[in-house]
Amino acid sequence: MSHLNHGHIPPAYTAYVGRKAYFVTGLALLSLVLLVMAISLGAVRVPVDQALKSLAGLEADPRFQIIIRSIRLPHALAALLAGTGLAAAGTAMQSILRNPLGSPFTLGLSQAGAFGAAFAVMLLGAGTMQSTTVGAVTIANPYLTTLAAFMACMATSMVIIAIARLRGATPEVMVLSGVALGSLFSAGTMFLQYFADDVQLAAMVFWTFGDVGRAGWREVVFMAVVVALGLVYFIANRWNYNAIDAGDETARSLGVRVERVRMIGMIVASLITAIIVAFLGVIGFVGLICPHIVRRIIGDDHRFVMPAASLSGAVLLLASDTVARLLMAPHVLPVAVLTAFLGAPTFLYLLIRGRWR
Amino acid sequence: MLEVKDIRVGYNGSGLVLEDLGFTLGAGEILAILGPNGVGKTTLLRCINAMIQPKTGSVMVEGADVFDMSAGQIARHLGYVAQHNEAGRMTTFDTVLLGRKPHMGWKVGHEDLHKVGAALHQLGLQHLALRDIDRMSGGELQKVCIARAIVQEPRVLLLDEPTSSLDLKNQLEILGTIRRVVKEHQLAAVMTMHDLNLALRFADRFLFIRKGKVFASGRPDEISAEMVAAVYGVQVDILRHDGQVVVVPNGKNGD
């Protein structure tokens, strides 16, 4: 169709796209700065140059090297990866489910994870508590708890997929199945808690406090692989999500296989969430609100929303983790407590302020 | 250009929605599909676009069967403007750029951007290029959706009730735009409509569907009061005004 060959690209559009690209780049730089700060700040202050040396793979002061390599770096990377993964999964779910309240937890995954952990604590003997010198508690057999939480999360996803295949992969079917399953798992957890003894009950509740401090290098590597692959998949589908936002019929007419995109997107988002929930516990809010914060700033175009929301998740979780470690040092608050404390006012501010471009 | 042949569509457990339905359409022609609510007009459009698989029949675009095409190939042959369009926080330019999806690789090419610029110019939307579509009037949004379908560079344009929620001025403007674009690009266009007068004014041919079958078809000046009475159950007079055919309900309708 030669009629369309010599169109004019408005210079203002080029500048507008450039501003969005700067926004994404700015978030990436902020994530890096916060990563260094997360390594540097804490009960023991690590000088920034030592943190940078360690990050660059150079030999840092041995006094700090062990703190950085064994504690700070895996925790900071866990925060970065979990924030990225949860926000990316939330962004995809909001588009796939055509629902602003969509997030990985809309599908009942957090409730499933909590039930899995409670099940492991109560019936598989993973619930013996240990008190450390600072009064923190740990679950005696974290691998068993993690495995049970992961299995419960994935079982939920599989049931939703089975129902969706049976009744058509519509957003309504998926959201309502998720809500029903979430309620079912909540009831199951309450049932177990009712019959649990004091120690088991404490272990069950403790597990639900999402905390990046639970991650070691093995968990970080595992999360990195899953989050990276998931993010590549989501970014590759950015135009499909834009098309679905325009309506299912329009998306189909643009060559998008809507049901397939919806189903695979849900599986990928569930897998990312299941891994993070199983390793770190329940970290709410990031997956729900980070995409909204970013959408209010740069609009709904997934070419920019997907990377920007993912990076904003990393920023929020890194900042929350650092504050959580500093606020009551040497005690460490679970990061999940702080994500909403830091994120909700930001979101409310943007909501009141209105649009920005 | 477009050949629809012996289409039969039925949903599980119910009878046929469309039965032995067919027509042909040449380049630069506009066909208005007419009929009462629920008669299967939208189903027919979805079937032409392969969103619905018919029990029997074929839809050929320039000799190729759409049911043998991949989703991407269909999108490069047929553009579709849905009746209801969601409006998120996307600019006009980006919304129209979405229409290049069937042609794009990983990156947006300069060619894609130029084609969007050209489509915006053709539809008089260039001054709205950076306006978010959720802040547009119904008429403006409909033009954006038509521009999005145009940059797909289809051979056939399908429009489901393109003027259903628009005021009179916008109805005339949108249908005028569709007619101009179809003639300029030599597309074949099929649009479902309720307003007989607008259909007769802007389409080259009409096709009445009754009980899932083609009841009558022809050029606008071939419409008769008997056809309208048989399809809609309404008594009308057919008038000529300023070279146009006008359908006016008469006093025999008991009102």
Side-chain angles (χ1 to χ4, degrees), chain B residues 8 19 30 52 55 64 91 99 105 130 137 144 162 169 173 178 186 192 198 216 238 242 250 252:
Chain B
R8 290 162 79 94
E19 199 174 340
I30 301 175
I52 295 173
K55 286 180 186 295
T91 61
L130 290 186
S137 70
V144 172
K169 182 174 179 289
E173 202 177 316
I178 291 168
Q186 283 297 292
T192 64
L198 285 174
I238 305 291
D242 208 13
N250 62 29
K252 298 174 191 165

mmCIF file with all atom_site columns, all heavy atoms in Angstrom, chain B residues 8 19 30 52 55 64 91 99 105 130 137 144 162 169 173 178 186 192 198 216 238 242 250 252:
data_model
loop_
_atom_site.group_PDB
_atom_site.id
_atom_site.type_symbol
_atom_site.label_atom_id
_atom_site.label_alt_id
_atom_site.label_comp_id
_atom_site.label_asym_id
_atom_site.label_entity_id
_atom_site.label_seq_id
_atom_site.pdbx_PDB_ins_code
_atom_site.Cartn_x
_atom_site.Cartn_y
_atom_site.Cartn_z
_atom_site.occupancy
_atom_site.B_iso_or_equiv
_atom_site.pdbx_formal_charge
_atom_site.auth_seq_id
_atom_site.auth_comp_id
_atom_site.auth_asym_id
_atom_site.auth_atom_id
_atom_site.pdbx_PDB_model_num
ATOM 1   N N   . ARG B 1 8   ? -21.749 -21.629 6.930  1.00 0.00 ? 8   ARG B N   1
ATOM 2   C CA  . ARG B 1 8   ? -22.722 -22.139 7.917  1.00 0.00 ? 8   ARG B CA  1
ATOM 3   C C   . ARG B 1 8   ? -22.059 -22.075 9.286  1.00 0.00 ? 8   ARG B C   1
ATOM 4   O O   . ARG B 1 8   ? -20.994 -22.654 9.492  1.00 0.00 ? 8   ARG B O   1
ATOM 5   C CB  . ARG B 1 8   ? -23.075 -23.595 7.624  1.00 0.00 ? 8   ARG B CB  1
ATOM 6   C CG  . ARG B 1 8   ? -23.917 -23.776 6.369  1.00 0.00 ? 8   ARG B CG  1
ATOM 7   C CD  . ARG B 1 8   ? -23.841 -25.213 5.903  1.00 0.00 ? 8   ARG B CD  1
ATOM 8   N NE  . ARG B 1 8   ? -24.712 -26.079 6.703  1.00 0.00 ? 8   ARG B NE  1
ATOM 9   C CZ  . ARG B 1 8   ? -25.954 -26.395 6.372  1.00 0.00 ? 8   ARG B CZ  1
ATOM 10  N NH1 . ARG B 1 8   ? -26.470 -25.923 5.263  1.00 0.00 ? 8   ARG B NH1 1
ATOM 11  N NH2 . ARG B 1 8   ? -26.679 -27.184 7.123  1.00 0.00 ? 8   ARG B NH2 1
ATOM 12  N N   . GLU B 1 19  ? -26.568 -19.503 7.605  1.00 0.00 ? 19  GLU B N   1
ATOM 13  C CA  . GLU B 1 19  ? -26.820 -20.683 6.786  1.00 0.00 ? 19  GLU B CA  1
ATOM 14  C C   . GLU B 1 19  ? -26.588 -20.363 5.310  1.00 0.00 ? 19  GLU B C   1
ATOM 15  O O   . GLU B 1 19  ? -27.218 -19.452 4.760  1.00 0.00 ? 19  GLU B O   1
ATOM 16  C CB  . GLU B 1 19  ? -28.270 -21.122 7.018  1.00 0.00 ? 19  GLU B CB  1
ATOM 17  C CG  . GLU B 1 19  ? -28.536 -22.547 6.620  1.00 0.00 ? 19  GLU B CG  1
ATOM 18  C CD  . GLU B 1 19  ? -29.949 -22.977 7.014  1.00 0.00 ? 19  GLU B CD  1
ATOM 19  O OE1 . GLU B 1 19  ? -30.551 -22.336 7.889  1.00 0.00 ? 19  GLU B OE1 1
ATOM 20  O OE2 . GLU B 1 19  ? -30.433 -23.941 6.425  1.00 0.00 ? 19  GLU B OE2 1
ATOM 21  N N   . ILE B 1 30  ? -17.803 -1.070  -1.037 1.00 0.00 ? 30  ILE B N   1
ATOM 22  C CA  . ILE B 1 30  ? -18.254 -1.142  0.358  1.00 0.00 ? 30  ILE B CA  1
ATOM 23  C C   . ILE B 1 30  ? -19.590 -1.873  0.403  1.00 0.00 ? 30  ILE B C   1
ATOM 24  O O   . ILE B 1 30  ? -20.519 -1.514  -0.317 1.00 0.00 ? 30  ILE B O   1
ATOM 25  C CB  . ILE B 1 30  ? -18.432 0.266   0.972  1.00 0.00 ? 30  ILE B CB  1
ATOM 26  C CG1 . ILE B 1 30  ? -17.120 1.047   0.915  1.00 0.00 ? 30  ILE B CG1 1
ATOM 27  C CG2 . ILE B 1 30  ? -18.942 0.167   2.397  1.00 0.00 ? 30  ILE B CG2 1
ATOM 28  C CD1 . ILE B 1 30  ? -17.247 2.488   1.384  1.00 0.00 ? 30  ILE B CD1 1
ATOM 29  N N   . ILE B 1 52  ? -14.097 -16.958 14.199 1.00 0.00 ? 52  ILE B N   1
ATOM 30  C CA  . ILE B 1 52  ? -15.018 -18.082 14.376 1.00 0.00 ? 52  ILE B CA  1
ATOM 31  C C   . ILE B 1 52  ? -14.813 -19.030 13.196 1.00 0.00 ? 52  ILE B C   1
ATOM 32  O O   . ILE B 1 52  ? -14.721 -18.585 12.051 1.00 0.00 ? 52  ILE B O   1
ATOM 33  C CB  . ILE B 1 52  ? -16.489 -17.599 14.379 1.00 0.00 ? 52  ILE B CB  1
ATOM 34  C CG1 . ILE B 1 52  ? -16.755 -16.699 15.586 1.00 0.00 ? 52  ILE B CG1 1
ATOM 35  C CG2 . ILE B 1 52  ? -17.448 -18.771 14.376 1.00 0.00 ? 52  ILE B CG2 1
ATOM 36  C CD1 . ILE B 1 52  ? -18.125 -16.053 15.560 1.00 0.00 ? 52  ILE B CD1 1
ATOM 37  N N   . LYS B 1 55  ? -18.911 -24.108 10.238 1.00 0.00 ? 55  LYS B N   1
ATOM 38  C CA  . LYS B 1 55  ? -19.044 -25.565 10.043 1.00 0.00 ? 55  LYS B CA  1
ATOM 39  C C   . LYS B 1 55  ? -18.659 -25.937 8.614  1.00 0.00 ? 55  LYS B C   1
ATOM 40  O O   . LYS B 1 55  ? -17.994 -26.934 8.381  1.00 0.00 ? 55  LYS B O   1
ATOM 41  C CB  . LYS B 1 55  ? -20.486 -25.996 10.330 1.00 0.00 ? 55  LYS B CB  1
ATOM 42  C CG  . LYS B 1 55  ? -20.848 -25.999 11.821 1.00 0.00 ? 55  LYS B CG  1
ATOM 43  C CD  . LYS B 1 55  ? -22.292 -26.436 12.007 1.00 0.00 ? 55  LYS B CD  1
ATOM 44  C CE  . LYS B 1 55  ? -22.738 -26.323 13.447 1.00 0.00 ? 55  LYS B CE  1
ATOM 45  N NZ  . LYS B 1 55  ? -22.050 -27.218 14.366 1.00 0.00 ? 55  LYS B NZ  1
ATOM 46  N N   . ALA B 1 64  ? -6.819  -16.527 -1.664 1.00 0.00 ? 64  ALA B N   1
ATOM 47  C CA  . ALA B 1 64  ? -6.264  -17.346 -0.570 1.00 0.00 ? 64  ALA B CA  1
ATOM 48  C C   . ALA B 1 64  ? -7.326  -17.523 0.523  1.00 0.00 ? 64  ALA B C   1
ATOM 49  O O   . ALA B 1 64  ? -8.001  -16.564 0.902  1.00 0.00 ? 64  ALA B O   1
ATOM 50  C CB  . ALA B 1 64  ? -5.029  -16.669 0.007  1.00 0.00 ? 64  ALA B CB  1
ATOM 51  N N   . THR B 1 91  ? -0.912  7.046   23.523 1.00 0.00 ? 91  THR B N   1
ATOM 52  C CA  . THR B 1 91  ? -1.105  8.169   22.601 1.00 0.00 ? 91  THR B CA  1
ATOM 53  C C   . THR B 1 91  ? -1.719  7.664   21.304 1.00 0.00 ? 91  THR B C   1
ATOM 54  O O   . THR B 1 91  ? -1.671  6.461   21.008 1.00 0.00 ? 91  THR B O   1
ATOM 55  C CB  . THR B 1 91  ? 0.243   8.830   22.254 1.00 0.00 ? 91  THR B CB  1
ATOM 56  O OG1 . THR B 1 91  ? 1.055   7.858   21.616 1.00 0.00 ? 91  THR B OG1 1
ATOM 57  C CG2 . THR B 1 91  ? 0.935   9.385   23.486 1.00 0.00 ? 91  THR B CG2 1
ATOM 58  N N   . GLY B 1 99  ? -1.134  -1.137  15.071 1.00 0.00 ? 99  GLY B N   1
ATOM 59  C CA  . GLY B 1 99  ? -1.611  -1.759  13.832 1.00 0.00 ? 99  GLY B CA  1
ATOM 60  C C   . GLY B 1 99  ? -0.476  -2.323  12.976 1.00 0.00 ? 99  GLY B C   1
ATOM 61  O O   . GLY B 1 99  ? -0.708  -3.156  12.109 1.00 0.00 ? 99  GLY B O   1
ATOM 62  N N   . GLY B 1 105 ? 9.066   -6.819  13.491 1.00 0.00 ? 105 GLY B N   1
ATOM 63  C CA  . GLY B 1 105 ? 9.918   -7.782  14.161 1.00 0.00 ? 105 GLY B CA  1
ATOM 64  C C   . GLY B 1 105 ? 10.097  -7.356  15.603 1.00 0.00 ? 105 GLY B C   1
ATOM 65  O O   . GLY B 1 105 ? 9.185   -6.802  16.217 1.00 0.00 ? 105 GLY B O   1
ATOM 66  N N   . LEU B 1 130 ? -0.045  13.108  19.845 1.00 0.00 ? 130 LEU B N   1
ATOM 67  C CA  . LEU B 1 130 ? 0.442   12.841  21.204 1.00 0.00 ? 130 LEU B CA  1
ATOM 68  C C   . LEU B 1 130 ? -0.674  12.895  22.250 1.00 0.00 ? 130 LEU B C   1
ATOM 69  O O   . LEU B 1 130 ? -0.395  12.868  23.447 1.00 0.00 ? 130 LEU B O   1
ATOM 70  C CB  . LEU B 1 130 ? 1.548   13.837  21.577 1.00 0.00 ? 130 LEU B CB  1
ATOM 71  C CG  . LEU B 1 130 ? 2.868   13.648  20.836 1.00 0.00 ? 130 LEU B CG  1
ATOM 72  C CD1 . LEU B 1 130 ? 3.941   14.563  21.365 1.00 0.00 ? 130 LEU B CD1 1
ATOM 73  C CD2 . LEU B 1 130 ? 3.347   12.211  20.915 1.00 0.00 ? 130 LEU B CD2 1
ATOM 74  N N   . SER B 1 137 ? -12.839 12.129  22.085 1.00 0.00 ? 137 SER B N   1
ATOM 75  C CA  . SER B 1 137 ? -14.272 11.948  21.864 1.00 0.00 ? 137 SER B CA  1
ATOM 76  C C   . SER B 1 137 ? -14.474 10.623  21.136 1.00 0.00 ? 137 SER B C   1
ATOM 77  O O   . SER B 1 137 ? -13.521 10.049  20.586 1.00 0.00 ? 137 SER B O   1
ATOM 78  C CB  . SER B 1 137 ? -14.807 13.093  21.023 1.00 0.00 ? 137 SER B CB  1
ATOM 79  O OG  . SER B 1 137 ? -14.312 12.979  19.706 1.00 0.00 ? 137 SER B OG  1
ATOM 80  N N   . VAL B 1 144 ? -9.139  6.912   15.105 1.00 0.00 ? 144 VAL B N   1
ATOM 81  C CA  . VAL B 1 144 ? -7.853  6.303   15.491 1.00 0.00 ? 144 VAL B CA  1
ATOM 82  C C   . VAL B 1 144 ? -7.894  4.799   15.212 1.00 0.00 ? 144 VAL B C   1
ATOM 83  O O   . VAL B 1 144 ? -6.933  4.217   14.697 1.00 0.00 ? 144 VAL B O   1
ATOM 84  C CB  . VAL B 1 144 ? -7.547  6.569   16.987 1.00 0.00 ? 144 VAL B CB  1
ATOM 85  C CG1 . VAL B 1 144 ? -6.329  5.772   17.446 1.00 0.00 ? 144 VAL B CG1 1
ATOM 86  C CG2 . VAL B 1 144 ? -7.313  8.055   17.222 1.00 0.00 ? 144 VAL B CG2 1
ATOM 87  N N   . PRO B 1 162 ? -19.705 0.793   12.819 1.00 0.00 ? 162 PRO B N   1
ATOM 88  C CA  . PRO B 1 162 ? -18.703 1.857   12.995 1.00 0.00 ? 162 PRO B CA  1
ATOM 89  C C   . PRO B 1 162 ? -19.245 3.173   13.532 1.00 0.00 ? 162 PRO B C   1
ATOM 90  O O   . PRO B 1 162 ? -18.478 4.009   13.983 1.00 0.00 ? 162 PRO B O   1
ATOM 91  C CB  . PRO B 1 162 ? -18.131 2.040   11.587 1.00 0.00 ? 162 PRO B CB  1
ATOM 92  C CG  . PRO B 1 162 ? -19.162 1.507   10.670 1.00 0.00 ? 162 PRO B CG  1
ATOM 93  C CD  . PRO B 1 162 ? -19.862 0.416   11.405 1.00 0.00 ? 162 PRO B CD  1
ATOM 94  N N   . LYS B 1 169 ? -23.154 14.310  13.258 1.00 0.00 ? 169 LYS B N   1
ATOM 95  C CA  . LYS B 1 169 ? -22.009 14.919  12.579 1.00 0.00 ? 169 LYS B CA  1
ATOM 96  C C   . LYS B 1 169 ? -20.860 13.900  12.458 1.00 0.00 ? 169 LYS B C   1
ATOM 97  O O   . LYS B 1 169 ? -20.272 13.728  11.397 1.00 0.00 ? 169 LYS B O   1
ATOM 98  C CB  . LYS B 1 169 ? -21.546 16.147  13.365 1.00 0.00 ? 169 LYS B CB  1
ATOM 99  C CG  . LYS B 1 169 ? -20.388 16.884  12.723 1.00 0.00 ? 169 LYS B CG  1
ATOM 100 C CD  . LYS B 1 169 ? -20.109 18.165  13.493 1.00 0.00 ? 169 LYS B CD  1
ATOM 101 C CE  . LYS B 1 169 ? -18.950 18.934  12.905 1.00 0.00 ? 169 LYS B CE  1
ATOM 102 N NZ  . LYS B 1 169 ? -17.663 18.312  13.120 1.00 0.00 ? 169 LYS B NZ  1
ATOM 103 N N   . GLU B 1 173 ? -19.091 12.062  9.247  1.00 0.00 ? 173 GLU B N   1
ATOM 104 C CA  . GLU B 1 173 ? -17.651 12.253  9.064  1.00 0.00 ? 173 GLU B CA  1
ATOM 105 C C   . GLU B 1 173 ? -16.917 10.905  9.000  1.00 0.00 ? 173 GLU B C   1
ATOM 106 O O   . GLU B 1 173 ? -16.074 10.691  8.133  1.00 0.00 ? 173 GLU B O   1
ATOM 107 C CB  . GLU B 1 173 ? -17.121 13.096  10.233 1.00 0.00 ? 173 GLU B CB  1
ATOM 108 C CG  . GLU B 1 173 ? -15.823 13.794  9.900  1.00 0.00 ? 173 GLU B CG  1
ATOM 109 C CD  . GLU B 1 173 ? -15.373 14.675  11.054 1.00 0.00 ? 173 GLU B CD  1
ATOM 110 O OE1 . GLU B 1 173 ? -16.225 15.391  11.624 1.00 0.00 ? 173 GLU B OE1 1
ATOM 111 O OE2 . GLU B 1 173 ? -14.172 14.617  11.380 1.00 0.00 ? 173 GLU B OE2 1
ATOM 112 N N   . ILE B 1 178 ? -14.322 6.583   5.927  1.00 0.00 ? 178 ILE B N   1
ATOM 113 C CA  . ILE B 1 178 ? -14.197 5.176   5.519  1.00 0.00 ? 178 ILE B CA  1
ATOM 114 C C   . ILE B 1 178 ? -14.298 5.063   3.997  1.00 0.00 ? 178 ILE B C   1
ATOM 115 O O   . ILE B 1 178 ? -13.491 4.399   3.346  1.00 0.00 ? 178 ILE B O   1
ATOM 116 C CB  . ILE B 1 178 ? -15.296 4.317   6.200  1.00 0.00 ? 178 ILE B CB  1
ATOM 117 C CG1 . ILE B 1 178 ? -15.035 4.220   7.711  1.00 0.00 ? 178 ILE B CG1 1
ATOM 118 C CG2 . ILE B 1 178 ? -15.358 2.917   5.582  1.00 0.00 ? 178 ILE B CG2 1
ATOM 119 C CD1 . ILE B 1 178 ? -16.194 3.646   8.505  1.00 0.00 ? 178 ILE B CD1 1
ATOM 120 N N   . GLN B 1 186 ? -8.176  1.225   -2.479 1.00 0.00 ? 186 GLN B N   1
ATOM 121 C CA  . GLN B 1 186 ? -8.787  0.126   -3.251 1.00 0.00 ? 186 GLN B CA  1
ATOM 122 C C   . GLN B 1 186 ? -8.959  -1.131  -2.391 1.00 0.00 ? 186 GLN B C   1
ATOM 123 O O   . GLN B 1 186 ? -8.570  -2.241  -2.762 1.00 0.00 ? 186 GLN B O   1
ATOM 124 C CB  . GLN B 1 186 ? -7.954  -0.180  -4.501 1.00 0.00 ? 186 GLN B CB  1
ATOM 125 C CG  . GLN B 1 186 ? -8.160  0.828   -5.620 1.00 0.00 ? 186 GLN B CG  1
ATOM 126 C CD  . GLN B 1 186 ? -9.612  0.831   -6.136 1.00 0.00 ? 186 GLN B CD  1
ATOM 127 O OE1 . GLN B 1 186 ? -10.067 -0.123  -6.745 1.00 0.00 ? 186 GLN B OE1 1
ATOM 128 N NE2 . GLN B 1 186 ? -10.350 1.910   -5.862 1.00 0.00 ? 186 GLN B NE2 1
ATOM 129 N N   . THR B 1 192 ? -21.133 -3.765  9.218  1.00 0.00 ? 192 THR B N   1
ATOM 130 C CA  . THR B 1 192 ? -22.473 -4.055  9.716  1.00 0.00 ? 192 THR B CA  1
ATOM 131 C C   . THR B 1 192 ? -23.074 -2.730  10.156 1.00 0.00 ? 192 THR B C   1
ATOM 132 O O   . THR B 1 192 ? -22.374 -1.869  10.700 1.00 0.00 ? 192 THR B O   1
ATOM 133 C CB  . THR B 1 192 ? -22.440 -5.010  10.913 1.00 0.00 ? 192 THR B CB  1
ATOM 134 O OG1 . THR B 1 192 ? -21.767 -4.368  11.985 1.00 0.00 ? 192 THR B OG1 1
ATOM 135 C CG2 . THR B 1 192 ? -21.735 -6.303  10.573 1.00 0.00 ? 192 THR B CG2 1
ATOM 136 N N   . LEU B 1 198 ? -28.000 5.736   6.388  1.00 0.00 ? 198 LEU B N   1
ATOM 137 C CA  . LEU B 1 198 ? -26.546 5.931   6.301  1.00 0.00 ? 198 LEU B CA  1
ATOM 138 C C   . LEU B 1 198 ? -25.916 4.835   5.448  1.00 0.00 ? 198 LEU B C   1
ATOM 139 O O   . LEU B 1 198 ? -25.007 5.090   4.654  1.00 0.00 ? 198 LEU B O   1
ATOM 140 C CB  . LEU B 1 198 ? -25.928 5.926   7.703  1.00 0.00 ? 198 LEU B CB  1
ATOM 141 C CG  . LEU B 1 198 ? -26.154 7.181   8.556  1.00 0.00 ? 198 LEU B CG  1
ATOM 142 C CD1 . LEU B 1 198 ? -25.609 6.974   9.964  1.00 0.00 ? 198 LEU B CD1 1
ATOM 143 C CD2 . LEU B 1 198 ? -25.484 8.389   7.913  1.00 0.00 ? 198 LEU B CD2 1
ATOM 144 N N   . ALA B 1 216 ? -31.845 -10.557 0.716  1.00 0.00 ? 216 ALA B N   1
ATOM 145 C CA  . ALA B 1 216 ? -31.796 -9.740  -0.496 1.00 0.00 ? 216 ALA B CA  1
ATOM 146 C C   . ALA B 1 216 ? -30.489 -8.968  -0.519 1.00 0.00 ? 216 ALA B C   1
ATOM 147 O O   . ALA B 1 216 ? -29.884 -8.731  0.525  1.00 0.00 ? 216 ALA B O   1
ATOM 148 C CB  . ALA B 1 216 ? -32.967 -8.755  -0.514 1.00 0.00 ? 216 ALA B CB  1
ATOM 149 N N   . ILE B 1 238 ? -40.086 4.355   0.436  1.00 0.00 ? 238 ILE B N   1
ATOM 150 C CA  . ILE B 1 238 ? -38.743 4.605   -0.113 1.00 0.00 ? 238 ILE B CA  1
ATOM 151 C C   . ILE B 1 238 ? -38.833 5.899   -0.933 1.00 0.00 ? 238 ILE B C   1
ATOM 152 O O   . ILE B 1 238 ? -39.598 5.982   -1.890 1.00 0.00 ? 238 ILE B O   1
ATOM 153 C CB  . ILE B 1 238 ? -38.296 3.447   -1.040 1.00 0.00 ? 238 ILE B CB  1
ATOM 154 C CG1 . ILE B 1 238 ? -38.381 2.098   -0.311 1.00 0.00 ? 238 ILE B CG1 1
ATOM 155 C CG2 . ILE B 1 238 ? -36.880 3.704   -1.568 1.00 0.00 ? 238 ILE B CG2 1
ATOM 156 C CD1 . ILE B 1 238 ? -37.390 1.878   0.792  1.00 0.00 ? 238 ILE B CD1 1
ATOM 157 N N   . ASP B 1 242 ? -32.528 14.480  -3.220 1.00 0.00 ? 242 ASP B N   1
ATOM 158 C CA  . ASP B 1 242 ? -31.208 15.009  -3.555 1.00 0.00 ? 242 ASP B CA  1
ATOM 159 C C   . ASP B 1 242 ? -30.285 13.901  -4.085 1.00 0.00 ? 242 ASP B C   1
ATOM 160 O O   . ASP B 1 242 ? -29.105 13.827  -3.737 1.00 0.00 ? 242 ASP B O   1
ATOM 161 C CB  . ASP B 1 242 ? -30.607 15.648  -2.276 1.00 0.00 ? 242 ASP B CB  1
ATOM 162 C CG  . ASP B 1 242 ? -29.635 16.756  -2.637 1.00 0.00 ? 242 ASP B CG  1
ATOM 163 O OD1 . ASP B 1 242 ? -29.639 17.166  -3.818 1.00 0.00 ? 242 ASP B OD1 1
ATOM 164 O OD2 . ASP B 1 242 ? -28.889 17.193  -1.740 1.00 0.00 ? 242 ASP B OD2 1
ATOM 165 N N   . ASN B 1 250 ? -43.565 4.626   7.609  1.00 0.00 ? 250 ASN B N   1
ATOM 166 C CA  . ASN B 1 250 ? -44.817 5.336   7.315  1.00 0.00 ? 250 ASN B CA  1
ATOM 167 C C   . ASN B 1 250 ? -45.838 5.142   8.421  1.00 0.00 ? 250 ASN B C   1
ATOM 168 O O   . ASN B 1 250 ? -45.546 4.534   9.455  1.00 0.00 ? 250 ASN B O   1
ATOM 169 C CB  . ASN B 1 250 ? -45.344 4.934   5.942  1.00 0.00 ? 250 ASN B CB  1
ATOM 170 C CG  . ASN B 1 250 ? -45.668 3.457   5.880  1.00 0.00 ? 250 ASN B CG  1
ATOM 171 O OD1 . ASN B 1 250 ? -46.017 2.856   6.910  1.00 0.00 ? 250 ASN B OD1 1
ATOM 172 N ND2 . ASN B 1 250 ? -45.548 2.873   4.707  1.00 0.00 ? 250 ASN B ND2 1
ATOM 173 N N   . LYS B 1 252 ? -48.322 3.266   8.777  1.00 0.00 ? 252 LYS B N   1
ATOM 174 C CA  . LYS B 1 252 ? -49.013 1.973   8.903  1.00 0.00 ? 252 LYS B CA  1
ATOM 175 C C   . LYS B 1 252 ? -48.412 1.103   10.010 1.00 0.00 ? 252 LYS B C   1
ATOM 176 O O   . LYS B 1 252 ? -48.616 -0.104  10.041 1.00 0.00 ? 252 LYS B O   1
ATOM 177 C CB  . LYS B 1 252 ? -48.944 1.221   7.573  1.00 0.00 ? 252 LYS B CB  1
ATOM 178 C CG  . LYS B 1 252 ? -49.635 1.938   6.432  1.00 0.00 ? 252 LYS B CG  1
ATOM 179 C CD  . LYS B 1 252 ? -49.390 1.204   5.118  1.00 0.00 ? 252 LYS B CD  1
ATOM 180 C CE  . LYS B 1 252 ? -49.852 2.048   3.939  1.00 0.00 ? 252 LYS B CE  1
ATOM 181 N NZ  . LYS B 1 252 ? -49.317 1.543   2.668  1.00 0.00 ? 252 LYS B NZ  1
#
